[in-house]
Amino acid sequence: MIADLCKKMLGKSLWLFHTNCGACNGCDIEVIDVLTPYYDVERFGMKLVGSPRHADALVVTGSVSRQVAPALRRLYEATPDPKVVIAVGTCAVGGNIWFDTYNILGGADKVVPVTVYIPGCPPRPEAIIYGAALALGMVPKKVKPQHEQHVPRGFDLDAYIAKWQDTPVVAR
Amino acid sequence: MFKAKLKEAVICFGAGRVTLKYPFEPSPVPPKFRGKIEFDARKCIACGGCANVCPPRCIVIEDMGEVAKITFNLDRCIQCARCYEVCPEKAIWPTDEFETATPDKSDLKSEMIVWMSTCQRCGRCFETDNAIDKFESKRWRGRGPGEANKHGIFPIKPPIDFSMPGSLVREPEEGQGQ
């Protein structure tokens, strides 16, 4: 019973450790903005802590560069279980415009398993709150992929694409 | 000093609540906000302009002969809306959707397949819709009997509003264009 009570009382109070893995400081300012009285994220029990050993969640900003990747891995291993990794910003989600650069790994999920992705360059403070609330299971997921096609009726698209991909490039 | 502190306390009493109730109440976006992009496969002519200007190369166009497959890797989209600016048909636009956080990265991958007919003589692609079909797909021609020619034969401004919330480009003025 005490375990259940503890889970209920303490389960939703995420302590965040903020990691800059090569960000431009844009996302970091938005993360700080979320802690201001206007977007008061401390009402959900979230606050920044100074050590990963005190943290429940890692907030990763920035496209992870090769130099910082081992440090991020060590931070992840230093965080006690159970832990949440929140990738804030397009850099940490997919690498932004540096996704194929030689010194950038292109996203936090190349180094650590990410729980919630918050795209945006930088994301709105509301979007960060939404992502944190999504990690806590307070709000439903809204985004879904958009698949559209405009082909004539009767055109077998799947068969055509399979045939096109089987065709060698020289014969196209 | 004591007076000043007292004044501060009085001001604090009058300030009221400033914190947004955001996750429980919607928070409207400011004007010209650029959020997640959306597209319309009926309007797209697969010219590749958006793929050419996209800074993070998030729009990838793949020419497959009779169809063109356009992939949107929104996980690295920086919401610059350059695609919206260059699109000649305004088939892609930024919405004001910002709640795009997801635990699954495959939610951020969209796809569009556009039919491209090839010319029998030169083998290159061209638009399949003829001009009259295009009018209908842009709703310049009504579908019902009363709606047809409601806006004249060659209307200058289409009735559908292309000025999306994230509009950066000024729409053509009345009397220009065409």
Side-chain angles (χ1 to χ4, degrees):
Chain A
M1 192 191 87
I2 292 174
D4 284 354
L5 198 67
C6 284
K7 218 175 196 176
K8 202 175 173 187
M9 285 173 70
L10 307 175
K12 289 186 175 175
S13 175
L14 279 184
W15 283 12
L16 313 171
F17 183 75
H18 177 203
T19 327
N20 184 330
C21 298
C24 69
N25 212 25
C27 296
D28 306 298
I29 287 174
E30 299 297 323
V31 168
I32 300 301
D33 197 15
V34 158
L35 295 158
T36 57
Y38 190 60
Y39 313 94
D40 191 11
V41 89
E42 282 192 24
R43 62 202 151 120
F44 307 122
M46 296 180 200
K47 67 168 191 172
L48 287 187
V49 291
S51 163
R53 295 187 198 281
H54 301 161
D56 302 309
L58 277 182
V59 177
V60 183
T61 58
S63 52
V64 181
S65 61
R66 265 167 57 176
Q67 191 162 5
V68 91
L72 177 61
R73 188 72 213 173
R74 275 175 58 207
L75 276 177
Y76 178 75
E77 281 158 7
T79 313
D81 281 328
K83 52 197 161 192
V84 173
V85 180
I86 304 174
V88 174
T90 301
C91 288
V93 173
N96 207 333
I97 59 175
W98 304 282
F99 68 100
D100 57 351
T101 319
Y102 69 98
N103 60 338
I104 295 292
L105 296 184
D109 55 349
K110 301 275 166 66
V111 185
V112 293
V114 177
T115 317
V116 176
Y117 299 92
I118 306 176
C121 187
R124 289 187 86 196
E126 281 95 335
I128 298 177
I129 295 175
Y130 176 83
L134 188 73
L136 295 176
M138 290 161 64
V139 287
K141 190 179 79 175
K142 284 185 188 166
V143 63
K144 54 178 188 282
Q146 185 184 3
H147 292 290
E148 280 197 17
Q149 42 182 268
H150 180 45
V151 291
R153 267 188 219 99
F155 178 69
D156 195 354
L157 185 66
D158 297 333
Y160 179 78
I161 288 180
K163 190 182 155 201
W164 176 262
Q165 283 168 347
D166 288 343
T167 315
V169 176
V170 279
R172 280 176 186 173
Chain B
M1 189 203 155
F2 181 71
K3 243 184 190 174
K5 288 281 173 198
L6 210 65
K7 198 178 167 191
E8 253 175 44
V10 170
I11 287 171
C12 285
F13 272 117
R17 182 191 172 121
V18 289
T19 308
L20 287 187
K21 295 181 180 175
Y22 165 61
F24 311 110
E25 282 179 9
S27 170
V29 295
K32 295 195 177 178
F33 179 77
R34 307 186 295 268
K36 190 190 170 209
I37 52 171
E38 275 185 9
F39 44 84
D40 189 355
R42 269 188 77 86
K43 290 182 198 156
C44 179
I45 57 172
C47 63
C50 49
N52 195 26
V53 298
C54 186
R57 294 277 175 267
C58 123
I59 304 174
V60 180
I61 181 162
E62 193 181 346
D63 185 14
M64 297 176 131
E66 292 193 10
V67 295
K69 183 171 153 193
I70 303 163
T71 318
F72 298 84
N73 301 305
L74 298 183
D75 55 344
R76 56 175 186 261
C77 171
I78 58 170
Q79 288 131 16
C80 59
R82 277 292 281 144
C83 46
Y84 171 70
E85 282 177 16
V86 300
C87 185
E89 301 289 317
K90 293 286 172 271
I92 179 166
W93 60 89
T95 61
D96 50 5
E97 188 186 339
F98 63 90
E99 291 162 331
T100 47
T102 169
D104 189 4
K105 214 172 167 180
S106 64
D107 287 336
L108 300 170
K109 203 152 267 195
S110 298
E111 200 180 270
M112 171 159 72
I113 289 171
V114 181
W115 166 260
M116 305 290 290
S117 186
T118 43
C119 172
Q120 288 188 342
R121 193 175 290 172
C122 64
R124 286 191 197 146
C125 292
F126 61 95
E127 286 184 64
T128 49
D129 287 348
N130 61 27
I132 296 185
D133 290 341
K134 212 69 185 170
F135 269 23
E136 197 182 342
S137 71
K138 283 181 169 179
R139 300 191 205 154
W140 285 10
R141 269 166 71 99
R143 296 179 188 218
E147 270 188 278
N149 270 340
K150 203 166 101 184
H151 304 280
I153 303 166
F154 294 109
I156 289 158
K157 194 164 186 180
I160 182 169
D161 187 16
F162 285 127
S163 60
M164 296 300 162
S167 169
L168 296 173
V169 186
R170 217 155 47 85
E171 294 297 322
E173 296 288 329
E174 200 80 31
Q176 294 177 0
Q178 203 69 60

